[in-house]
Amino acid sequence: MTRLDLTASPVDLCAALVDVPSVSGDEGGLADAVEAALREQAPHLEVLRTGDAVLARTHLGRGDRVLLAGHLDTVPIADNLPSHRDGHLLYGCGTSDMKAGDAAFLHLAGTLPTPRHDLTFVFYDCEEVEAERNGLGRIEREHRDWLVADLAILGEPTNVGVEAGCQGTLRAEISTTGRRAHSARSWLGDNAIHNATPVLQRLAAYTARDVDIDGCVYREGLQAVRIAGGVAGNVVPDACVVTVNFRFAPDRDAAAAEKHVREVFDGFELVITDLSPGALPGLTVPAAAEFIAATGAAPSAKYGWTDVSRFAALGIPALNYGPGDPNLAHTREENVDTRQITEAVGVLRRFLS
């Protein structure tokens, strides 16, 4: 088992984390290493192992509690392990998403025994796959008392800027029908793919909202992401399905997002296949405002869905903050600027100390 040194440079710690493969569903080896390091090097923390997630927390009787969360899993490896360095850049699968954030949190767990906030650290599994496998869901079901805090910081890559809240996401399938016929006698049929034209026209004419919430502007979007139809090269098709994705601002809840999409496609058969609400920025909460002040930068809206939504659903204001460029996540050339790791540790230490 790899031994992790929590007191070492957080950059070296990040490299060590990256060099332990942890593709979703195969995080056991890394979870073993994280658990062993916390038990050995952070005696001030209560440690809990649940599946391939590792949790740790202080019991200092502080007036509030801050939760620092990071997922241990990565997307499949793309010939980008082991890690290697080129100047200030550390390359490897998971460097940006999000072992750099994990390294910052683990370094603080091992080197900050008396923070001024009580702390909870959550290193969890299966974030990069379908939602029902996400380790946070299992923790919520089985260890709900560990997910209590006044502020949650999710270490997703944000180029060490605060990205507040997140968009919600909805997927729906819109079906059109027709009547099969031989393409040589097409007038005897009714082409279901052609009948999807009004769906595409509505999408092309759609005007998305920009919504300002606490100074963060969330841009909505409604897009076709897939069209399925056709039987054979000589058959007029009798069925077609257009899949659409709606990214919505967090001022809409799930019910409002579904209602809006059904109104846009009124008259068509529509089935919702995926729906996750967003999260409001929550910047007026004292702990959140204090953290933003510690960063010295103005927050921006989070485009995309992250697990801050899960914390928001639990009533915990949550922010995305971590080293790494989100545009490099999941790429073959994934890397992190090591100066961002150092900066993130410094900002978090100032806030927590």
Side-chain angles (χ1 to χ4, degrees), residues 253-276:
D253 61 15
E258 178 176 349
K259 181 175 182 290
H260 177 70
V261 172
R262 291 191 181 279
E263 288 173 348
V264 171
F265 299 107
D266 183 46
F268 288 94
E269 180 184 345
L270 184 147
V271 176
I272 304 296
T273 59
D274 182 66
L275 178 55
S276 296

Side-chain angles (χ1 to χ4, degrees), residues 34-263:
V34 168
E35 179 187 11
L38 288 170
R39 292 191 185 280
E40 174 192 351
Q41 301 168 48
H44 55 284
L45 297 174
E46 177 191 3
V47 178
L48 172 70
R49 175 71 176 266
T50 169
D52 284 335
V54 184
L55 292 73
R57 63 185 175 187
T58 62
H59 295 283
L60 300 172
R62 305 299 197 227
D64 56 8
R65 179 174 292 274
V66 175
L67 188 153
L68 305 170
H71 62 82
L72 296 176
D73 63 319
T74 71
V75 296
I77 298 163
D79 297 322
N80 51 357
L81 284 186
S83 64
H84 70 276
R85 302 188 196 192
D86 183 2
H88 291 295
L89 301 182
L90 174 65
Y91 286 83
C93 183
T95 46
S96 182
D97 187 16
M98 58 174 288
K99 291 185 177 181
D102 291 334
F105 293 165
L106 280 167
H107 180 72
L108 291 167
T111 61
L112 194 61
T114 55
R116 63 190 179 91
H117 308 273
D118 266 308
L119 301 180
T120 299
F121 298 90
V122 179
F123 302 99
Y124 62 102
D125 53 315
C126 288
E127 188 272 347
E128 299 287 9
V129 289
E130 56 270 25
E132 58 266 25
R133 292 174 59 191
N134 189 303
L136 281 180
R138 183 183 67 255
I139 294 166
E140 180 183 352
R141 293 188 299 272
E142 299 177 2
H143 303 283
R144 176 65 180 84
D145 62 303
W146 281 79
L147 299 182
V148 175
D150 299 280
L151 174 67
I153 300 174
L154 188 65
E156 291 283 357
T158 63
N159 282 314
V160 287
V162 173
E163 293 183 348
C166 71
Q167 294 170 307
T169 181
L170 176 153
R171 280 197 304 276
E173 293 181 347
I174 303 163
S175 298
T176 58
T177 59
R179 184 172 64 253
R180 287 196 193 190
H182 196 297
S183 60
R185 292 174 287 279
S186 57
W187 60 90
L188 298 177
D190 181 18
N191 194 307
I193 294 177
H194 294 183
N195 293 341
T197 299
V199 174
L200 301 180
Q201 289 173 331
R202 293 185 194 186
L203 286 166
Y206 182 80
T207 300
R209 295 191 310 159
D210 288 355
V211 184
D212 188 320
I213 306 174
D214 291 346
C216 297
V217 178
Y218 295 86
R219 300 181 63 183
E220 294 190 328
L222 181 61
Q223 298 286 315
V225 294
R226 178 180 172 84
I227 297 180
V231 179
N234 59 354
V235 178
V236 176
D238 60 350
C240 178
V241 177
V242 180
T243 302
V244 299
N245 178 234
F246 182 39
R247 295 295 175 132
F248 54 95
D251 64 330
R252 300 188 199 259
D253 61 15
E258 178 176 349
K259 181 175 182 290
H260 177 70
V261 172
R262 291 191 181 279
E263 288 173 348

Side-chain angles (χ1 to χ4, degrees), residues 280-344:
L280 291 165
L283 301 180
T284 58
V285 175
E290 185 182 350
F291 178 68
I292 291 165
T295 69
S300 60
K302 177 64 179 179
Y303 294 123
W305 188 92
T306 73
D307 278 322
V308 298
S309 178
R310 293 180 181 272
F311 293 115
L314 296 174
I316 305 171
L319 305 170
N320 302 280
Y321 175 81
D325 183 346
N327 294 323
L328 294 172
H330 303 184
T331 65
R332 187 177 296 273
E333 63 276 12
E334 183 175 1
N335 67 78
V336 63
D337 188 324
T338 57
R339 292 169 294 188
Q340 290 191 1
I341 301 175
T342 302
E343 179 181 347

